[in-house]
Amino acid sequence: MSEEKLPARAENFSEWYNQVVQRAELADYAPVRGCMVVRPYGWSLWENIQAALDRRFKATGHVNAAFPLFIPMSFLEKEKEHVEGFSPELAVVTIGGGEKLEEPLVVRPTSETIIGYMYSKWIKSYRDLPVLINQWGNVVRWEMRTRLFLRTLEFYWQEGHTAHATEKEAEEETLRMLNIYTRFAVDDAAVPVIPGRKSNTEKFAGAVRSYTIEAMMGDTRALQAGTSHNLGQNFAQAFDIRYLDVNNQLQYCWTTSWGLSTRFIGAIIMTHGDDQGLVLPPRLAPIQIVIVPIYRNDAEKAQVMPVVERISRELTESNFRVKVDDRTEVTPGFKFNDWEMRGVPLRLEIGPKDVQNNSVMSARRDQPGKEGKKSLSQDQLPGQIAELLTDIQASLFDRALAFRDAHIFDPHDYEELKEIVQNGWAFSWWCGSDECEAKVKEDTKATTRCIPLDQPGGKGTCIVCGKPAEEKVYFARAY
RNA sequence: CGGGGCGUGGCUCAGUCCGGUUAGAGUGCACGGUUUGGGACCGUGAGGUCGGCGGUUCAAAUCCGCCCGCCCCGACCA
């Protein structure tokens, strides 16, 4: 840790974010512009995210596989919208082994095309369906402006790709996976999200319909935290993914794709972080409990350390992720600040007084300072800790939800909308036209984030043009 | 790619306008000692082709030219 204080979030959110990422040792800048190195602590967080999602994918019948990093350029060109959407941000390999390649290879920006090609080989009959495959991997998109985790040239993610016999099944799958993302965000990451449908201009290049979970960050800007796409028959037609149905009729498949990336780490940082640094939800935190031994001399150390070791072992055996900070070269006060910067949900201090009193001092990360401190008995510690962690997890969610709801407004007119999106989200009736959407973007930089699945019902008039509108949409400035 | 800013020990920066001893500070790092329940202190030490190349000059971190890189604001996006 270098400088002592972080910039206040309220003063300079963007600089606060950059420093938290680096000082918590989640990631660092790579020597290539726009690329990041995910450091062990950040990767460990990602592994926990992976495990939480993968468990949910497996529970709904999905299996993992791995497809190549390189995709023939011609594949991208087979789906018109897809190539138009992605060509500006492709990295292309033209030389291999010192020879110019006959056909350039694209470093995958996403894998619909190469997986579509394989699916056309594998799927012959309705008996082969559905195909439910997920891939954990990395992709490359040549972005102009980059931020650690939020937008880098290369990022890690999972992409699910499924093929179905009917349109209905594909739509069900698309919404099922959107719901899994929602459950993951809410239950595992304590990040409140709004599941909804993307507007035409915001949808995935090549999709019929795109769905998203949108989250509000600590500066009120919106972050698209995961997406699920109903691809219709667009890729099935482009890659000839067909099957024989029960009547021996040749039919095109209906496909979907869905993805969630390391960007979600950015969502966690910007949802829960405070002026002391990172705050991690207990269910995903690489370290859930850090134990700081307190002693002034060798005699006290000899008393304290056995208790520290015993409690550490006891908690580890109860399946908590525990770290003992036994560094001798820094003071306890330094360690407190250090682990707060890294967002560890719960700290236990164990000193001579605790050895005397059969106690430990606990400190909750979500309540910095004295309010978060409480002396616990050493008896039945795992049960007490479990309760505390559950409570921290819940209070992180509640706090984020309260913050979000306090920054969503329903403007009475367009002028009011323009003000709202400067520091919040506007939830408004919208006629659905590209023109009205574009006007808001031009006037305010805010875009439509999603048309939430949960609609108030009834009808209204478009906040921009005043024409009849059937759905309400969120407008917000986004990452 | 357009507009703005910046490149000096690992990091943050002073010094550059007005050229002139051996290029500084804070922090970090190493070693020794005293400390340790909210970012300890003292001492010693290591660490620099001043982004690169060229020019002007007796003399360049400092002046001039070209190049490279990074950051911020726009256009593009998970």
Side-chain angles (χ1 to χ4, degrees):
Chain A
M1 304 296 95
S2 43
E3 308 98 301
E4 299 196 347
K5 283 262 187 291
L6 282 170
R9 287 190 329 148
E11 300 281 314
N12 190 346
F13 195 81
S14 157
E15 189 52 31
W16 170 87
Y17 176 84
N18 289 337
Q19 288 200 24
V20 168
V21 169
Q22 288 188 80
R23 290 170 64 179
E25 298 185 355
L26 294 172
D28 201 355
Y29 294 101
V32 180
R33 180 195 76 85
C35 291
M36 70 174 162
V37 174
V38 182
R39 301 185 64 174
Y41 192 56
W43 192 258
S44 178
L45 175 58
W46 178 238
E47 285 176 338
N48 291 341
I49 291 171
Q50 288 182 301
L53 283 170
D54 209 60
R55 187 174 63 235
R56 295 174 188 276
F57 296 160
K58 300 271 169 66
T60 43
H62 300 85
V63 290
N64 287 331
F67 294 84
L69 179 69
F70 296 129
I71 299 177
M73 179 65 106
S74 59
F75 279 28
L76 268 290
E77 291 161 356
K78 284 178 195 262
E79 214 289 334
K80 186 167 157 289
E81 272 190 31
H82 194 64
V83 67
E84 280 173 8
F86 281 104
S87 58
E89 51 189 64
L90 294 179
V92 181
V93 178
T94 57
I95 296 172
E99 302 273 318
K100 187 169 185 297
L101 300 176
E102 273 198 26
E103 180 179 356
L105 295 174
V106 169
V107 181
R108 63 183 173 207
T110 178
S111 305
E112 277 75 8
T113 57
I114 196 157
I115 291 179
Y117 173 87
M118 296 311 297
Y119 280 9
S120 76
K121 289 176 67 171
W122 296 341
I123 297 169
K124 295 297 166 203
S125 153
Y126 72 94
R127 297 181 199 278
D128 298 327
L129 296 172
V131 173
L132 306 172
I133 293 180
N134 177 63
Q135 155 167 273
W136 288 98
N138 54 343
V139 287
V140 169
R141 300 180 187 178
W142 214 264
E143 301 290 350
M144 297 300 194
R145 294 191 56 197
T146 57
R147 298 283 306 278
L148 292 175
F149 291 119
L150 301 176
R151 180 167 296 106
T152 46
L153 297 199
E154 180 190 19
F155 59 89
Y156 301 87
W157 74 345
Q158 59 67 218
E159 44 178 326
H161 295 271
T162 69
H164 306 266
T166 66
E167 180 172 20
K168 180 164 169 286
E169 277 179 50
E171 180 70 5
E172 282 168 3
E173 168 75 4
T174 310
L175 289 169
R176 179 180 306 119
M177 301 322 287
L178 185 73
N179 188 49
I180 282 181
Y181 288 153
T182 305
R183 293 324 324 163
F184 159 76
V186 170
D187 297 340
D188 294 322
V191 172
V193 292
I194 295 176
R197 178 165 47 86
K198 281 289 182 189
S199 73
N200 268 334
T201 57
E202 293 280 329
K203 79 175 169 62
F204 177 75
V208 170
R209 264 189 302 286
S210 285
Y211 296 93
T212 175
I213 51 171
E214 294 286 323
M216 184 187 284
M217 303 295 99
D219 60 352
T220 76
R221 288 173 72 179
L223 185 80
Q224 178 173 309
T227 49
S228 185
H229 314 290
N230 184 333
L231 304 173
Q233 292 181 315
N234 292 346
F235 285 88
Q237 286 173 7
F239 288 90
D240 200 35
I241 312 171
R242 292 194 286 179
Y243 71 97
L244 281 171
D245 68 16
V246 278
N247 303 314
N248 204 35
Q249 297 291 306
L250 209 47
Q251 306 277 2
Y252 282 109
C253 285
W254 301 82
T255 66
T256 81
S257 67
W258 25 275
L260 186 147
S261 75
T262 38
R263 171 182 249 201
F264 201 93
I265 292 175
I268 291 172
I269 298 166
M270 292 193 291
T271 298
H272 301 308
D274 65 17
D275 286 352
Q276 319 309 320
L278 190 61
V279 179
L280 293 175
R283 295 190 65 157
L284 296 178
I287 299 169
Q288 296 172 306
I289 303 150
V290 64
I291 303 178
V292 179
I294 313 282
Y295 50 79
R296 272 167 303 194
N297 49 50
D298 284 349
E300 287 185 353
K301 183 176 181 181
Q303 285 188 305
V304 165
M305 288 316 288
V307 177
V308 167
E309 294 305 332
R310 196 195 79 228
I311 288 175
S312 163
R313 201 177 325 116
E314 194 181 357
L315 293 175
T316 304
E317 281 165 5
S318 302
N319 291 318
F320 294 108
R321 298 186 285 274
V322 184
K323 159 99 185 164
V324 174
D325 188 349
D326 56 5
R327 284 178 290 178
T328 54
E329 69 274 21
V330 290
T331 61
F334 181 91
K335 293 176 185 177
F336 298 168
N337 287 284
D338 197 19
W339 293 109
E340 280 167 15
M341 178 68 73
R342 291 167 181 249
V344 174
L346 192 65
R347 178 180 76 239
L348 298 181
E349 304 166 18
I350 302 176
K353 291 179 212 162
D354 298 298
V355 174
Q356 295 283 307
N357 304 332
N358 192 47
S359 63
V360 300
M361 184 59 78
S362 68
R364 298 170 58 136
R365 179 62 183 87
D366 62 326
Q367 299 173 358
K370 280 210 179 87
E371 320 88 273
K373 281 205 175 191
K374 198 169 94 180
S375 183
L376 306 177
S377 165
Q378 289 178 24
D379 302 328
Q380 273 95 51
L381 199 53
Q384 300 182 73
I385 299 287
E387 229 171 89
L388 269 172
L389 290 178
T390 304
D391 196 58
I392 293 168
Q393 180 87 23
S395 83
L396 287 180
F397 180 81
D398 292 345
R399 185 162 73 187
L401 184 65
F403 177 84
R404 185 191 76 187
D405 289 347
H407 290 89
I408 295 180
F409 304 95
D410 191 340
H412 295 98
D413 55 38
Y414 189 56
E415 285 308 307
E416 206 177 307
L417 179 142
K418 286 201 256 183
E419 275 175 41
I420 287 169
V421 297
Q422 297 316 309
N423 191 34
W425 294 9
F427 187 43
S428 303
W429 293 100
W430 170 50
C431 66
S433 76
D434 293 0
E435 291 74 29
C436 290
E437 197 179 5
K439 179 168 166 55
V440 174
K441 186 172 183 181
E442 182 162 340
D443 291 349
T444 68
K445 289 182 191 166
T447 51
T448 65
R449 297 323 303 156
C450 73
I451 302 141
L453 301 184
D454 186 15
Q455 286 285 326
K459 293 187 179 182
T461 53
C462 177
I463 190 76
V464 185
C465 68
K467 288 181 188 153
E470 302 193 342
E471 291 179 310
K472 291 188 84 171
V473 66
Y474 289 98
F475 288 98
R477 290 176 307 142
Y479 276 98

